[in-house]
Amino acid sequence: MKIRTIAPRNVLIAILSLSAVFAWGQGKINVVFDRTTHDFGTIEEDEGVQTIVFSFVNLSDAPIFIKDVQSSCGCTSPQYSRNNISPNTIGKIKVGYNPVGRPGEIRKSITVKFGNNKETRTVVLYLKGNTLHREDNDTDKFSYTDGNVALRTALIDMGTVLKGNTARKTIEIYNPTDKRIKVDFASIPNNIDIRIDGESSIEPHSSAYVLIDFKTSDKDRAGVYSYKIPIKVNRKNAFAIEIKATVNDDFTHITTQEFARKPQIWLIPPYLNMGTLKKGKKYSFKIKIENRGSSPLTIENIVAPEAPFVSFGRLKKNIINASESVEIEIVVNTQLLDTGTYETYCKVFGNDCESPVTDLYLEFAVE
């Protein structure tokens, strides 16, 4: 079971650096990004440079410009214009990431400095994901197999997908047998297109490419989505692949008036130490979600993406008016756990442009 862990001495730092798409100071420079973290999901070294675009809207009362953009690694190359960006106008920063020679976890940052005639503001953008190692032979490369068909991995992480957009991944599939095989897919949900690029038949000891499109609409709920899709070889089930994506709102369409009346989410507390729990039982804890803004706060989703032993009670209401709060019940099922210490997190998705995804950190021990 994969659990994201956070060293206790770093918890406070983690809480203070929660994902946010909003950058604001007491001066005149106000900008809202479509996101400040981009998740590539799972990529391969052979895919080459990955290019993405961060969009932002200038909600200041005067033009601003990008003074400087610095990346934390030479593998990351930002491109941007130094032209003035008028109020209520969208600007873009294009970022290229080169995964060649960098297998494993992606964790990079890009520091953006905005300016006008008086002020300077800094926003830090983040890149995350995982790069699969380049292998020298097919046996090592396609290690996930049932003997009839083989893949690099059975988890296809599409990464971050903004509402109304489509994410595409291309994965390689291999025929390890001495006979030609025909590959199909079953139980495909409506928001996913998956197909072999070209003919669905694969020659012996040869590979083909699978095209996966993950589609979203403006009406979708923000959250983490996961689907199991069976692979069929010669009309018989082989194994299932898991397709995963994180769907977020795009706040670059917000107006100055909406920004002034924005909701503001607060988790009380943002970090919960549950103490020592007995194995084989279920434990219930409660926290508050509070709206300290002016407009109603809508809670779209609450998930624990890497903790299947955590579930949530039903909210009494998912629209929280200004100065109001609602309790959320968190249930930990220790029947699914071994003894030991656990540190994980939950994600609360809402319509706060300052914190559209707010993390709640959990810590406990099982004995």
Side-chain angles (χ1 to χ4, degrees), residues 18-38:
L18 298 178
S19 284
V21 295
F22 164 71
W24 175 76
Q26 303 235 341
K28 297 181 180 179
I29 297 179
N30 298 327
V31 293
V32 171
F33 273 82
D34 58 354
R35 67 223 187 270
T36 54
T37 298
H38 178 81

Side-chain angles (χ1 to χ4, degrees), residues 22 251 254 257-266 290-299 319-323 350-356:
F22 164 71
F251 287 98
I254 190 172
Q257 293 75 19
E258 290 170 334
F259 172 77
R261 301 190 306 269
K262 66 185 183 297
Q264 189 177 22
I265 187 172
W266 280 78
E290 189 174 289
N291 180 9
R292 296 187 182 180
S294 300
S295 295
L297 171 67
T298 301
I299 304 301
I319 299 177
I320 308 168
N321 292 323
S323 302
N351 66 330
D352 176 0
C353 67
E354 180 179 1
S355 251

